Amino acid sequence: MQQNHTEILLQQTISPQLSVNLSKIRTIAEGSSDLLVNEFVLSGLPAALLCCEGMLSTSTMTELILKPITAIRLECPTAANVFAFIRNHQLYSIDRAEASTYADLFRFLNSGFAVLVLDGADSALVFGIQGYDKRSVSEPSGEDNVMGAKDGFIEVVRVNMSLLRRRMKTPQLKLELFVKGSKSQTDLCLCYMADRVPKSLIAQIKARLDEMELESILSSGYLQPFLENRRGCLFDTVGTTQRPDVLCAKLLEGRVGLLIDGTPFALVIPKLFCESFQTMDDYCYRPAYATLVRWIKYAAFLVAVLLPALYVAIALHHPELLNRTLLLILADAEENAPISLTAEAIGVLLVYEIIREAGLRLPKAVGGAVSIVAGLIIGDAAVASGLISTPMLTVTAIAVIAGFVVPDLAQSITLLRLAFLLIAGFWGLFGISLLGAAVLFNLCAGESFGFPITAPIAPLYKKGFRDTLTRVSFRKMQSGSFTVEEYHE
């Protein structure tokens, strides 16, 4: 009942009576300790300056607002005259707005604005003097590079917007700020190049965001399901990045970026499958070397997904494919193993996932110890005791390390590796072929807002091959602009 009463109050318009306003504001806040109400007299009229403790700079508030506003002296003071004087003759803050309802007032208040409420005025003036603590701009933790920029997005959306504007000074870069989440009131920023992005893509994204009814948005994972393909594609159709330079490159190709306040990850819409094998360093290397590295990544993806399954399938169902030496080594290694080859492979992979998760969630000081214990003690002891064969441990280790080469596809690789391993244990190479065809069909059917994620390979688009299987020089890439709109179905 109390919650319903609060929701009703939030939708009401601000009253001209200061005492009524303060009473309702305190009722909505319900005694929250971080709400600060400073009552004073402004040019003979009762007034109050509201702020949220810890969300703004007290020194800025004192110098730019409190001192100038208390010095205002008008001959015929009324609420309209005082507000008109402040709007036309006083600056106070570059970021200024007005709140007409209590919902707007609390959204500004909890975003680090100072709110001025005046007796006789049916609205409130707000001044942006945010001064909350934030992490400084630093190198992104998940997208390391050798020759690229070292700055990455942080948790404050306005700082992230400035990182994009520093790189793209053209007025064609549009940054649209809006609020989503009924409880969290999270700031979102839609980023796009007005002369590159398809207008229909912007309209569809906005429609998807308007359809969702989330109470809070605390990370990019809250929004991603609403923007992805609903058919259940095995691979992501919405990309993420921590790097401003990567997002700028995507915007130039006609993509749309979505910045979320509170998270250092930006969403990129749409995402193509081939982009998981591209990094910013590829465009700093010579084209021949960059092409070699890219092919190594494609090979590493196949090794990470298929190597354990191929080992199990050949060992159990197709030993004739091995030469005599390899067959004898395998038979000797597996002779004393207490469990089946398939169960052994699945067990090793699950143990690896447990170790990886433990090292990821534990504090950094302890995470290194987990790796040492797992690699030197558990691995060596398991082989020495005969629980795990040496070839199986080697094959699993190679597959796991190969998966590190393509971190964007880590989740898909983990699931597909287990799926291929299970079917290989039952049906051998025939089962691998069937599941491979199903995965390929699923990949080709994947699309994001009408953009096939397998482009430019399917459908075939020759111009897109300049930066897919190979990486041509910038002299060739500069001949004509390219946008993903050409891939639209």
Side-chain angles (χ1 to χ4, degrees):
M1 185 65 68
Q2 178 66 28
Q3 183 178 358
N4 294 335
H5 179 62
T6 301
E7 295 293 337
I8 294 173
L9 288 179
L10 284 172
Q11 302 306 318
Q12 293 181 3
T13 58
I14 293 176
S15 171
Q17 298 181 18
L18 178 63
S19 58
V20 175
N21 287 328
L22 295 181
S23 175
K24 291 184 178 180
I25 289 171
R26 290 190 174 100
T27 300
I28 295 172
E30 295 184 16
S32 181
S33 300
D34 60 346
L35 174 63
L36 304 180
V37 180
N38 302 280
E39 298 186 51
F40 63 103
V41 177
L42 174 54
S43 189
L45 297 176
L49 192 63
L50 314 177
C51 63
C52 188
E53 185 178 9
M55 294 295 293
L56 45 74
S57 171
T58 54
S59 59
T60 303
M61 181 176 177
T62 302
E63 293 295 328
L64 298 184
I65 297 181
L66 283 178
K67 287 184 178 179
I69 208 169
T70 53
I72 295 176
R73 298 290 186 270
L74 300 181
E75 294 182 357
C76 300
T78 63
N81 292 342
V82 172
F83 272 14
F85 179 82
I86 292 176
R87 293 190 195 98
N88 301 327
H89 298 87
Q90 301 291 324
L91 186 58
Y92 296 155
S93 170
I94 298 296
D95 192 1
R96 297 194 299 177
E98 289 192 25
S100 57
T101 65
Y102 294 108
D104 294 335
L105 185 148
F106 271 90
R107 181 169 62 84
F108 283 115
L109 193 64
N110 295 328
S111 298
F113 285 71
V115 180
L116 176 63
V117 183
L118 186 62
D119 190 54
D122 57 358
S123 63
L125 293 182
V126 296
F127 309 99
I129 51 173
Q130 292 91 335
Y132 41 78
D133 292 333
K134 61 179 181 296
R135 183 170 60 92
S136 60
V137 176
S138 57
E139 187 173 359
S141 59
E143 297 178 62
D144 293 335
N145 71 98
V146 178
M147 304 177 67
K150 302 299 182 181
D151 57 342
F153 290 129
I154 64 172
E155 287 75 14
V156 183
V157 67
R158 296 178 187 272
V159 175
N160 295 339
M161 293 164 62
S162 69
L163 293 175
L164 294 180
R165 184 61 71 182
R166 281 169 49 193
R167 288 173 167 81
M168 306 292 292
K169 300 177 178 63
T170 172
Q172 296 294 343
L173 175 62
K174 307 300 181 184
L175 303 173
E176 295 186 10
L177 201 63
F178 54 97
V179 177
K180 291 294 180 182
S182 59
K183 299 297 183 183
S184 63
Q185 294 287 291
T186 305
D187 289 326
L188 307 181
C189 181
L190 206 62
C191 317
Y192 58 91
M193 299 291 292
D195 59 336
R196 302 290 181 91
V197 69
K199 305 302 180 185
S200 59
L201 177 59
I202 296 292
Q204 291 180 66
I205 293 174
K206 290 182 177 179
R208 291 272 188 95
L209 293 175
D210 290 338
E211 289 176 0
M212 66 182 188
E213 299 178 356
L214 292 176
E215 289 188 342
S216 63
I217 301 173
L218 303 179
S219 71
S220 58
Y222 284 59
L223 294 177
Q224 204 163 345
F226 295 94
L227 300 172
E228 286 186 331
N229 188 353
R230 299 177 182 178
R231 297 178 183 175
C233 184
L234 295 174
F235 302 93
D236 291 335
T237 58
V238 175
T240 59
T241 182
Q242 285 183 275
R243 301 180 58 87
D245 50 359
V246 170
L247 183 56
C248 287
K250 303 305 180 187
L251 297 181
L252 286 171
E253 294 178 356
R255 319 292 178 92
V256 176
L258 186 61
L259 302 176
I260 305 165
D261 191 40
T263 177
F265 290 89
L267 298 181
V268 182
I269 312 162
K271 176 188 178 182
L272 304 181
F273 178 72
C274 63
E275 291 174 346
S276 299
F277 304 90
Q278 301 172 358
T279 63
M280 188 55 66
D281 279 335
D282 292 349
Y283 305 95
C284 301
Y285 299 143
R286 290 181 176 274
Y289 180 72
T291 300
L292 173 63
V293 171
R294 193 162 290 177
W295 275 98
I296 289 175
K297 292 176 183 176
Y298 286 119
F301 170 74
L302 295 177
V303 169
V305 172
L306 297 177
L307 184 59
L310 289 174
Y311 175 78
V312 171
I314 292 174
L316 291 180
H317 301 281
H318 312 281
E320 66 275 7
L321 295 179
L322 299 175
N323 60 39
R324 183 174 179 274
T325 303
L326 287 176
L327 186 60
L328 290 176
I329 292 174
L330 189 149
D332 182 63
E334 299 294 342
E335 182 179 4
N336 297 322
I339 55 178
S340 67
L341 200 62
T342 305
E344 184 182 351
I346 293 176
V348 172
L349 288 176
L350 291 179
V351 168
Y352 157 71
E353 292 298 328
I354 292 172
I355 295 172
R356 185 192 65 83
E357 193 69 16
L360 183 65
R361 304 303 170 190
L362 284 172
K364 292 183 179 180
V366 187
V370 172
S371 301
I372 295 174
V373 170
L376 298 182
I377 300 177
I378 297 179
D380 182 68
V383 173
S385 63
L387 291 176
I388 300 174
S389 65
T390 304
M392 174 59 69
L393 197 61
T394 304
V395 166
T396 304
I398 293 174
V400 167
I401 293 173
F404 294 155
V405 179
V406 196
D408 279 356
L409 297 175
Q411 299 179 46
S412 301
I413 287 174
T414 300
L415 296 176
L416 288 175
R417 185 192 291 138
L418 289 171
F420 274 103
L421 185 57
L422 282 172
I423 202 167
F426 287 107
W427 294 314
L429 293 180
F430 176 71
I432 292 177
S433 301
L434 286 178
L435 183 57
V439 172
L440 190 60
F441 292 154
N442 181 273
L443 179 62
C444 293
E447 56 87 21
S448 177
F449 295 96
F451 296 88
I453 65 173
T454 51
I457 298 175
L460 185 64
Y461 188 76
K462 294 182 179 180
K463 190 176 180 181
F465 273 84
R466 299 183 303 178
D467 191 27
T468 304
L469 299 178
T470 62
R471 206 279 281 172
V472 300
S473 66
F474 278 98
R475 291 181 180 273
K476 294 181 179 179
M477 282 200 288
Q478 71 177 352
S479 58
S481 60
F482 166 77
T483 65
V484 294
E485 188 174 10
E486 301 174 32
Y487 294 153
H488 198 273
E489 293 179 339

